[in-house]
Amino acid sequence: MKNNFQTISSSVRNIKAVLITCIVLAIVACFGLTISIGAFILFEAIILICCAVMLFTVSKVKWALYFEDNILTITNLANNNQYYFDDLKRSDFIFTQNKSQKERNRGHLKIVASSAVFNDVQSFEEMKAYIDRNFS
């Protein structure tokens, strides 16, 4: 029997970041009123279109994490690109969790020395236990 574990991340944190950015840009675009109402409407329209595209793109980006023994395969569910990590140690994983995530058994995972950051990973405690058991 193979020793494996699978979980998935969420894109909620990235969506929140895009929404906050859009709100700030919309407020800044209000300075277009000092030029004219037409400039204000143009700025707001451009921001609205850009934010809609960013939200559409960001909402699709979720990661599937598949652990098999001490090999980690991550799959971007938006474009199905896969990446393999076969030389990780327990010290390469950084776990963070806030109170609300702890109640829902979710958390953030970062892999040191890579750009891999996974937000709101499901089955967080089980994943931590698996990593503790299989990565030395």
Side-chain angles (χ1 to χ4, degrees):
M1 184 171 149
K2 289 190 175 186
N3 183 22
N4 58 22
F5 179 78
Q6 185 171 356
T7 189
I8 191 167
S9 71
S10 171
S11 60
V12 173
R13 188 174 187 186
N14 297 336
I15 291 171
K16 287 179 184 176
V18 169
L19 286 175
I20 290 169
T21 303
C22 292
I23 291 168
V24 170
L25 288 174
I27 292 169
V28 170
C30 290
F31 290 113
L33 285 171
T34 60
I35 301 170
S36 71
I37 292 178
F40 169 72
I41 292 171
L42 176 68
F43 296 156
E44 290 292 344
I46 291 171
I47 290 168
L48 180 66
I49 292 168
C50 291
C51 291
V53 169
M54 287 189 306
L55 281 173
F56 178 74
T57 305
V58 166
S59 67
K60 293 189 173 293
V61 178
K62 297 176 186 163
W63 292 90
L65 290 80
Y66 181 74
F67 295 90
E68 186 173 342
D69 295 323
N70 63 349
I71 297 172
L72 170 61
T73 304
I74 58 173
T75 305
N76 183 331
L77 298 179
N79 59 14
N80 292 321
N81 284 346
Q82 289 189 326
Y83 305 94
Y84 302 94
F85 296 94
D86 58 357
D87 58 347
L88 294 174
K89 300 177 197 74
R90 168 61 180 89
S91 60
D92 292 332
F93 295 96
I94 298 175
F95 305 101
T96 55
Q97 201 175 24
N98 60 34
K99 185 178 178 181
S100 68
Q101 287 175 323
K102 191 171 258 189
E103 293 168 357
R104 296 176 313 175
N105 194 20
R106 293 176 177 247
H108 304 305
L109 172 67
K110 177 172 179 15
I111 299 176
V112 176
S114 76
S115 62
V117 177
F118 307 101
N119 299 313
D120 263 354
V121 177
Q122 299 174 5
S123 305
F124 193 69
E125 292 301 323
E126 293 86 351
M127 180 186 64
K128 282 174 51 176
Y130 181 89
I131 291 171
D132 287 340
R133 276 193 321 268
N134 294 286
F135 291 85
S136 55

